[in-house]
Amino acid sequence: MPQPPAPRKTTGRPARISRTEILRTALRIVTDEGVDRLTMRRLASEIGSTPMALYHHVRDKEELLLLLLDDYAARNLRRPSAPPTDPRERVIAAATAIHEVLADCPWVVEVLTADDLMSKSALWFVEQIVDGLTGSGLSLEAAVHGYRAIWYYTAGEIVIRATAARRREADDRPTYRDRVFADLDPQQLPRLAAVADRWAPLTAQDTYAPGLTALVNGLLTTPD
């Protein structure tokens, strides 16, 4: 009686990878080590694949970062059920929501500071800011400029705080600023010398909310 043919051996082809696996691994790299450490070659090595295999799922690193942004924003940026009816308050509420989410994940800001990278899932909040500014009397063009000022303030505040925190974790010695402020000449810099011993704790305070309110109020009292 003839024997059934033996099963064919596999050719050693690498296992298929999924976009979910790619995003999960990329997120781990940027969270633990920063955006600069993410490369397609590094990602492929972590997954156990090749860069060419990744390109079947994402075009390049920029598209990968956009996918990470959209995934993060979709999971964390929650639209309120009833935004404030007052346009000025709507601007402040939308900017505060963006700040609260991004402050917990500084790598996102590193990506968003590139002007051509924008998460689609966050555009509703951008719309609220621009609409609130126009509803408060600005032209559409001035509202766009106002949004840019709010975004620069928000992103800059988070990036500076995150960078300072990483520096303190890596080295607890006095910074260059600390050494300079410890030796200020009160004759030349009387205001700074008077507050020199309190400069570090004062500048470490969380003043985002009052700063945002002051910025928005200033934008809305400035003529187009």
Side-chain angles (χ1 to χ4, degrees), residues 147-204:
Y147 161 72
R148 182 179 61 182
I150 291 170
W151 168 241
Y152 284 1
Y153 169 63
T154 300
E157 198 268 351
I158 295 173
V159 168
I160 290 172
R161 288 189 179 279
T163 302
R166 285 197 298 266
R167 188 188 305 121
R168 286 194 298 270
E169 290 176 1
D171 189 349
D172 60 358
R173 293 177 299 176
T175 65
Y176 177 72
R177 184 197 64 189
D178 294 334
R179 297 195 299 272
V180 169
F181 269 58
D183 195 33
L184 291 178
D185 184 347
Q187 297 299 319
Q188 295 184 354
L189 304 167
R191 299 297 186 188
L192 295 183
V195 78
D197 60 340
R198 294 180 290 136
W199 187 270
L202 284 173
T203 55

Side-chain angles (χ1 to χ4, degrees), residues 92 96 153 157 205-218:
I92 293 174
T96 300
Y153 169 63
E157 198 268 351
Q205 293 176 5
D206 183 359
T207 57
Y208 175 78
L212 174 63
T213 300
L215 174 57
V216 172
N217 288 342

Side-chain angles (χ1 to χ4, degrees), residues 21 46 53 60 113 199 217:
E21 183 182 8
E46 292 277 340
D60 49 28
T113 46
W199 187 270
N217 288 342

Side-chain angles (χ1 to χ4, degrees), residues 53-206:
L54 296 182
Y55 293 128
H56 290 293
H57 298 272
V58 291
R59 184 176 64 250
D60 49 28
K61 179 179 175 179
E62 181 174 291
E63 183 179 43
L64 176 59
L65 290 173
L66 283 170
L67 291 171
L68 285 177
L69 281 176
D70 272 331
D71 179 67
Y72 182 82
R75 289 186 290 105
N76 295 279
L77 269 175
R78 304 297 182 189
R79 300 183 187 183
S81 55
T85 55
D86 179 76
R88 185 187 302 245
E89 292 302 318
R90 194 159 66 249
V91 171
I92 293 174
T96 300
I98 293 174
H99 178 267
E100 288 177 351
V101 168
L102 298 188
D104 290 334
C105 194
W107 71 262
V108 173
V109 181
E110 293 182 54
V111 177
L112 286 176
T113 46
D115 285 342
D116 57 343
L117 292 181
M118 174 72 74
S119 168
K120 291 182 180 179
S121 299
L123 289 180
W124 183 87
F125 293 86
V126 178
E127 170 73 16
Q128 295 303 302
I129 293 173
V130 174
D131 182 65
L133 293 173
T134 56
S136 298
L138 296 187
S139 68
L140 183 57
E141 291 77 10
V144 172
H145 294 159
Y147 161 72
R148 182 179 61 182
I150 291 170
W151 168 241
Y152 284 1
Y153 169 63
T154 300
E157 198 268 351
I158 295 173
V159 168
I160 290 172
R161 288 189 179 279
T163 302
R166 285 197 298 266
R167 188 188 305 121
R168 286 194 298 270
E169 290 176 1
D171 189 349
D172 60 358
R173 293 177 299 176
T175 65
Y176 177 72
R177 184 197 64 189
D178 294 334
R179 297 195 299 272
V180 169
F181 269 58
D183 195 33
L184 291 178
D185 184 347
Q187 297 299 319
Q188 295 184 354
L189 304 167
R191 299 297 186 188
L192 295 183
V195 78
D197 60 340
R198 294 180 290 136
W199 187 270
L202 284 173
T203 55
Q205 293 176 5
D206 183 359

